[in-house]
Amino acid sequence: VPRFYDVTEGEVLVDGVNVKEYTTEALNNKLGYVPQKAVMFTGTVEDNVSYGDNGRGNISLNNYLGKWVVLFSHPGDFTPVCTTEMIAFANADTYFKERNASLIGLSVDSNLSHLAWMYDIYCRTGIKLPFPIIEDRNGVIARKYGMISNDISTTQTVRNVFIIDDKGIVRTMLIYQMNVGRCIPEIIRLVEALQTADCNEAATPANWIPGEPIIISAPSTFEELRERKQKIEREKNGISWYLSFKESNCSAKNLQNIKNKKNESKNQL
């Protein structure tokens, strides 16, 4: 069941401090490079009453700690490219959940506009959006995340994607032009690449897709260099001491599946 979040009555926090306490330059410095701590926002929840839920409460990005988050903005409701993206994100929601990742949408449109648009999509396709959309009427969150480009529009958000890890750190930022739709499989690949690199303490090469070998971290001492060179000669797993490969020992998706199975076993006991 989709939920729509109204942040106009809440506040935006950076490192636990209201943004009013920061200068624009300080905020830009905090968000200008990755990885950086994500801007934490709190606000009011307006449930999607048309789908049967009713109530108000609070939402905070802090509530998503322990999960990965794909925070994405769209220029406007009832627009053709955005509609295709919402359908694509909805169809891919299971794949994100398998990777312990939650989708959160955002635009400056009103909650009523979101409701009408989502209902229209549902009536025409049968698809219900399984993720929340933030109602950022004043653009408070959008501006702190750099989602509004004044050269393009002073009121509409561009197509931004922020991949935030389970510790609340922004790991990837993507920006698309308004007339170019996002490639959802690439965003899924990015999430898995980041998770695979993390749990293997390694790196992923160009054009990497899940299941392929990953790059071993370069040696830090001369002795490690010699050992790496000998291993490459023996196993034929690289082209030089600074570039060699190995199979992935883990991925966040596999670890999450193992965790789920353990929880299922406990519940059966």
Side-chain angles (χ1 to χ4, degrees), residues 27-29 36 43 56 87 107 110-112 142 201 256 264:
L27 285 169
N28 288 337
N29 287 338
Q36 292 287 330
R56 296 176 67 86
I87 293 172
S107 83
S110 69
N111 184 58
L112 288 177
E201 298 184 347
Q256 186 65 26
E264 290 175 2

Side-chain angles (χ1 to χ4, degrees), residues 23 26 36 43 54 83 88 98 123 134 154 165 188 206 212 217 224 239 246 249 262:
T23 64
Q36 292 287 330
N54 190 9
T83 301
E98 287 176 349
C123 289
I134 296 172
T154 58
D165 69 16
I188 296 172
E212 291 187 342
S217 300
E224 289 178 354
I239 64 173
K246 69 175 183 177
N249 295 324
K262 287 183 178 179

Side-chain angles (χ1 to χ4, degrees), residues 184-195:
I184 311 306
E186 168 59 10
I187 298 174
I188 296 172
R189 187 199 73 87
L190 267 173
V191 171
E192 184 146 358
L194 290 165
Q195 294 174 342

Side-chain angles (χ1 to χ4, degrees), residues 102-223:
S102 298
L103 295 168
I104 303 177
L106 179 145
S107 83
V108 296
D109 295 289
S110 69
N111 184 58
L112 288 177
S113 176
H114 290 328
L115 289 172
W117 185 37
M118 297 307 113
Y119 183 67
D120 188 61
I121 291 175
Y122 171 69
C123 289
R124 297 179 185 279
T125 67
I127 294 173
K128 294 182 180 181
L129 297 194
F131 49 82
I133 299 179
I134 296 172
E135 178 193 25
D136 191 16
R137 292 292 289 154
N138 296 329
V140 176
I141 294 177
R143 294 186 188 280
K144 302 315 172 187
Y145 273 87
M147 293 175 172
I148 295 178
S149 174
N150 291 332
D151 293 337
I152 299 175
S153 172
T154 58
T155 57
Q156 288 182 308
T157 52
V158 294
R159 300 185 196 285
N160 287 93
V161 177
F162 291 82
I163 299 178
I164 304 170
D165 69 16
D166 53 353
K167 299 176 181 62
I169 305 298
V170 176
R171 302 292 296 276
T172 299
M173 296 185 291
L174 302 172
I175 302 175
Y176 298 76
Q177 285 204 176
M178 287 189 175
N179 60 347
V180 176
R182 285 165 276 219
C183 179
I184 311 306
E186 168 59 10
I187 298 174
I188 296 172
R189 187 199 73 87
L190 267 173
V191 171
E192 184 146 358
L194 290 165
Q195 294 174 342
T196 299
D198 283 358
C199 66
N200 286 279
E201 298 184 347
T204 57
N207 299 326
W208 180 86
I209 59 175
E212 291 187 342
I214 56 179
I215 297 175
I216 304 173
S217 300
S220 56
T221 66
F222 184 73
E223 186 59 34

